[in-house]
Amino acid sequence: MPLATEGDRGAGADRARPTRRRRFNTRRALTILAFLSPAFIVVAIFTYYPLLVGGQMAFHQWSLWDLNNTPFIGLDNFRTLIADPAFGRTMLNSLIWVVGSLVPQFVIGFLIALGLRRSFRMRGLYQAIAFYPWAISGFLIGILFRWMFNSEFGVINDMLMRSGITDGPIPWLANPRLALVAVIIANIWYGVTFFAIMILAALQSVPEELTEAAALDGAGRVRTLFQIVIPTIRSTLILTVLLRVIWIFNFPDIIYAMTGGGPGNQTQIATTWMIQFTQQGNYGLASALGFIVMGVLIVFTGAYLSILTRKGSL
Amino acid sequence: MINRDPLSLKIFRAVGLSVWLIITLFPLYWVLLTSFKPANQIAEYPVRYWPREFSFENYIRLFSTSNFGQYIWNSLLVSATAASVATVIALLSGYVLSRFEFRSKGAVMVAFLVTQMVPAFIALGPLYQMFVKLGLVDSRFGLVLVYIAMTIPFSAIMLRGFFDNVPDSLEEAAMVDGLTRFGALWRVLVPVMRPGIIATFIFNFVNCWNELFLSVTLIQSTGNRTIPTALNSFISSFNIEWGPMSAAAVLTILPTMVLFAFASRWIVAGLTQGATKG
């Protein structure tokens, strides 16, 4: 994808010797092959092969408990899924999960990046501390929030009650309406760091002269931000949001740890549902659901890029 | 650069950043606190924000009621081995992707990137079946192999970015002096790129350390469990014991947090480059 923001520095490596690049060079081809093959052999065996086998399971009746009887059943798995009463709920939840997490993550992350843009004393230390959620797995974050949202001894209820916002403890994770809110709050907390890091890096790539020139022309801070800075980093923002949508859609860990999709499928998203199918040994359904997820993501990616790149190139 | 921001903006920024720091650190504080509370104070109401007394009870219980020491060792062994091998293999791929232009290069990049986007759960069943045939089920070695494959693609992309920052005149000079390409890479480029390589290694290590669903599927006996697999069995039990659970969480978080803080600058550089270059 031609999405480079800082110019393709990789091409510079070969520009130095253009004559050698023209003709086919066996030695050169062998070098490339030799250097790439270890990676490819490992990834092919342990990632691609299982993915391809898994892909075709979508069209088979495939249960872990009946491995000798896996007939081809066409699109039956897809029909079973769509007919399942949980299907609509799951798809809607996936959408709420992605949008409800991503928008606040983006806004807060952007504000933090703006705050960290100018250098100040201890900025390095601040980043090293404040960006720590990145080192922790989503699964563990889910465990921490499950404890904090605990209805009896949870600290969140305690703070709400002490500050007089609520009168009694709220059963966050047991309440069908609030459980989704709780898992999204945990996810927002977790994902802000990612946006802060990416947007900060993008902001720092904006040349200082550009914003200074705008300031000299009398543009205020807010105007400079919206008319100079954001357009300059637009391609990074578009790409970051896209990567994040794909990632959050595929990210069941927090929900898995906090509610396991419950109560009564109220926090079930596509990937937690997939986990449930694999735990039941029903790999056919899990795989079919995986296809639906990929289909949704491919359609989304296409639409997203064509809408956002039409008004000028990325 | 002259900092001409008005005082009000500076104050606003300082307050905003401080508030976020508190929000970010609070869950960590809370789990640390819980882990040091004596058992009778964990399930106590009203909740205490500073315990009456600190105790190691939960840690002692954690190690005496489970094989947590063994789990830590397993996680360490598997993550360190997988991360080292993956980093070396990805170093070779990253080098080629940075230094050579060839027709299928775009396809290679896409092949790497696709692995990051497909829901991995599709692969769990077939992987399990394959491991049954290979006799690798419930083996730490098998888990290492899967983790190597899992971490290679992104580290190759990350390392490519780091190679791009090193002028190729460096290894060309070494090759004129008689080193092979591999020798030049190993003896000249690797020392120069040490920060980037360490960052990639740490990134891989943390990813393996945190990995849950593959290990839950492929590891069965308690003796081979990694930490996330063990935590998974803790939260799956009917009555979660939050004291030992918090102690386990603290022990899981601390090593990776320290590693990340140590290398965050380079990891951030590598990730942002990798992502924006596609």
Side-chain angles (χ1 to χ4, degrees):
Chain A
M1 281 185 277
L3 295 166
T5 45
E6 311 150 76
D8 188 1
R9 265 172 282 146
D14 265 70
R15 219 172 285 142
R17 28 168 211 267
T19 44
R20 232 194 288 169
R21 194 169 65 184
R22 296 285 166 193
R23 58 190 152 85
F24 186 80
N25 181 331
T26 317
R27 197 182 153 78
R28 190 171 163 279
L30 280 177
T31 310
I32 294 176
L33 201 65
F35 276 56
L36 281 180
S37 52
F40 262 93
I41 292 170
V42 178
V43 175
I45 297 176
F46 295 105
T47 305
Y48 279 115
Y49 173 73
L51 277 178
L52 290 176
V53 176
Q56 51 135 5
M57 283 177 182
F59 309 97
H60 289 257
Q61 176 192 315
W62 206 102
S63 159
L64 196 59
W65 322 119
D66 197 2
L67 288 177
N68 296 321
N69 180 26
T70 57
F72 178 82
I73 53 168
L75 295 175
D76 275 7
N77 282 329
F78 293 87
R79 284 193 202 103
T80 311
L81 280 176
I82 293 168
D84 194 302
F87 184 79
R89 181 79 253 170
T90 303
M91 288 298 143
L92 181 65
N93 281 347
S94 299
L95 182 72
I96 300 174
W97 165 248
V98 172
V99 178
S101 308
L102 187 114
V103 173
Q105 284 178 358
F106 183 88
V107 173
I108 303 171
F110 204 110
L111 289 173
I112 291 168
L114 281 177
L116 290 171
R117 188 174 167 213
R118 293 274 162 84
S119 140
F120 56 86
R121 259 179 2 137
M122 319 257 268
R123 183 175 72 171
L125 185 67
Y126 183 93
Q127 289 180 14
I129 297 173
F131 289 170
Y132 85 92
W134 244 33
I136 307 178
S137 66
F139 173 59
L140 204 67
I141 299 296
I143 294 177
L144 298 191
F145 275 84
R146 181 169 173 174
W147 171 227
M148 294 200 299
F149 274 116
N150 186 293
S151 57
E152 285 173 280
F153 311 110
V155 66
I156 291 174
N157 270 341
D158 187 67
M159 286 197 280
L160 289 175
M161 282 155 67
R162 271 176 208 252
S163 58
I165 297 175
T166 55
D167 294 332
I170 300 171
W172 288 96
L173 301 178
N175 180 310
R177 296 238 169 111
L178 293 175
L180 193 58
V181 175
V183 294
I184 287 176
I185 289 175
N187 196 27
I188 293 171
W189 180 91
Y190 187 44
V192 163
T193 313
F194 174 85
F195 276 108
I197 291 172
M198 298 303 272
I199 295 172
L200 179 60
L203 286 176
Q204 284 171 339
S205 74
V206 178
E208 201 66 46
E209 302 85 57
L210 220 59
T211 49
E212 267 165 23
L216 283 179
D217 288 346
R221 268 159 228 289
V222 177
R223 234 184 109 198
T224 311
L225 176 66
F226 281 98
Q227 300 197 341
I228 308 284
V229 176
I230 291 181
T232 311
I233 61 171
R234 188 165 172 271
S235 64
T236 310
L237 293 181
I238 290 175
L239 186 67
T240 308
V241 168
L242 174 65
L243 288 175
R244 218 45 191 177
V245 168
I246 295 172
W247 198 83
I248 296 177
F249 205 100
N250 274 327
F251 175 63
D253 307 41
I254 284 181
I255 298 179
Y256 173 79
M258 285 176 77
T259 64
N265 287 329
Q266 289 301 314
T267 56
Q268 198 78 276
I269 61 165
T271 34
T272 54
W273 210 22
M274 276 176 82
I275 294 174
Q276 231 167 59
F277 287 133
T278 56
Q279 284 176 342
Q280 292 158 2
N282 200 330
Y283 285 94
L285 284 179
S287 180
L289 190 54
F291 269 91
I292 295 176
V293 169
M294 276 191 287
V296 169
L297 286 176
I298 288 169
V299 169
F300 170 77
T301 304
Y304 176 86
L305 286 179
S306 76
I307 289 170
L308 283 171
T309 54
R310 202 182 294 149
K311 311 170 195 157
S313 66
L314 198 58
Chain B
M1 191 194 71
I2 329 141
N3 198 340
R4 290 152 308 174
D5 291 340
L7 187 64
S8 58
L9 188 66
K10 282 184 182 165
I11 293 173
F12 179 71
R13 178 192 303 154
V15 170
L17 288 178
S18 309
V19 168
W20 182 251
L21 191 65
I22 293 168
I23 295 175
T24 309
L25 286 177
F26 188 79
L28 185 66
Y29 170 73
W30 199 248
V31 72
L32 264 170
L33 190 74
T34 308
S35 78
F36 286 115
K37 276 183 181 174
N40 58 344
Q41 288 182 36
I42 288 173
E44 186 184 43
Y45 212 85
V47 174
R48 284 186 167 271
Y49 290 77
W50 190 255
R52 283 193 298 261
E53 53 187 308
F54 285 88
S55 115
F56 284 95
E57 207 182 308
N58 297 318
Y59 290 87
I60 295 166
R61 265 183 65 81
L62 173 69
F63 282 95
S64 60
T65 56
S66 78
N67 273 328
F68 209 75
Q70 178 73 36
Y71 306 151
I72 294 178
W73 167 243
N74 290 339
S75 271
L76 205 61
L77 185 76
V78 169
S79 309
T81 316
S84 316
V85 177
T87 307
V88 172
I89 294 179
L91 198 66
L92 299 176
S93 322
Y95 174 76
V96 166
L97 289 174
S98 163
R99 290 299 196 255
F100 291 92
E101 287 301 322
F102 49 97
R103 239 181 306 158
S104 48
K105 185 167 161 178
V108 173
M109 290 296 284
V110 171
F112 277 154
L113 284 170
V114 162
T115 61
Q116 309 294 299
M117 315 215 158
V118 190
F121 307 101
I122 294 181
L124 288 180
L127 209 52
Y128 180 79
Q129 250 188 330
M130 184 168 123
F131 270 40
V132 170
K133 280 182 205 146
L134 295 173
L136 286 172
V137 171
D138 197 27
S139 127
R140 287 172 295 185
F141 175 69
L143 202 56
V144 167
L145 290 177
V146 183
Y147 284 177
I148 293 173
M150 171 183 89
T151 46
I152 281 177
F154 203 81
S155 13
I157 295 167
M158 222 167 133
L159 284 165
R160 177 202 170 189
F162 288 122
F163 274 115
D164 282 349
N165 292 339
V166 182
D168 56 353
S169 52
L170 219 64
E171 81 254 31
E172 273 169 11
M175 282 162 74
V176 169
D177 287 347
L179 281 176
T180 60
R181 189 171 281 280
F182 184 76
L185 167 66
W186 196 249
R187 292 214 226 145
V188 180
L189 287 183
V190 166
V192 176
M193 289 179 35
R194 194 172 293 149
I197 294 171
I198 294 174
T200 309
F201 169 82
I202 291 180
F203 187 74
N204 289 343
F205 181 90
V206 170
N207 275 340
C208 298
W209 181 268
N210 287 337
E211 201 287 326
L212 169 67
F213 296 110
L214 285 165
S215 62
V216 166
T217 309
L218 299 174
I219 296 293
Q220 289 163 343
S221 66
T222 355
N224 288 329
R225 269 186 191 166
T226 55
I227 299 175
T229 327
L231 294 180
N232 186 52
S233 74
F234 293 170
I235 65 156
S236 308
S237 67
F238 180 68
N239 203 355
I240 301 173
E241 284 193 77
W242 285 107
M245 181 79 222
S246 301
V250 168
L251 293 175
T252 315
I253 293 170
L254 283 184
T256 52
M257 233 187 106
V258 171
L259 282 178
F260 234 74
F262 170 69
S264 62
R265 208 161 46 105
W266 301 310
I267 294 177
V268 168
L271 284 162
T272 44
Q273 268 178 12
T276 48
K277 297 196 66 154

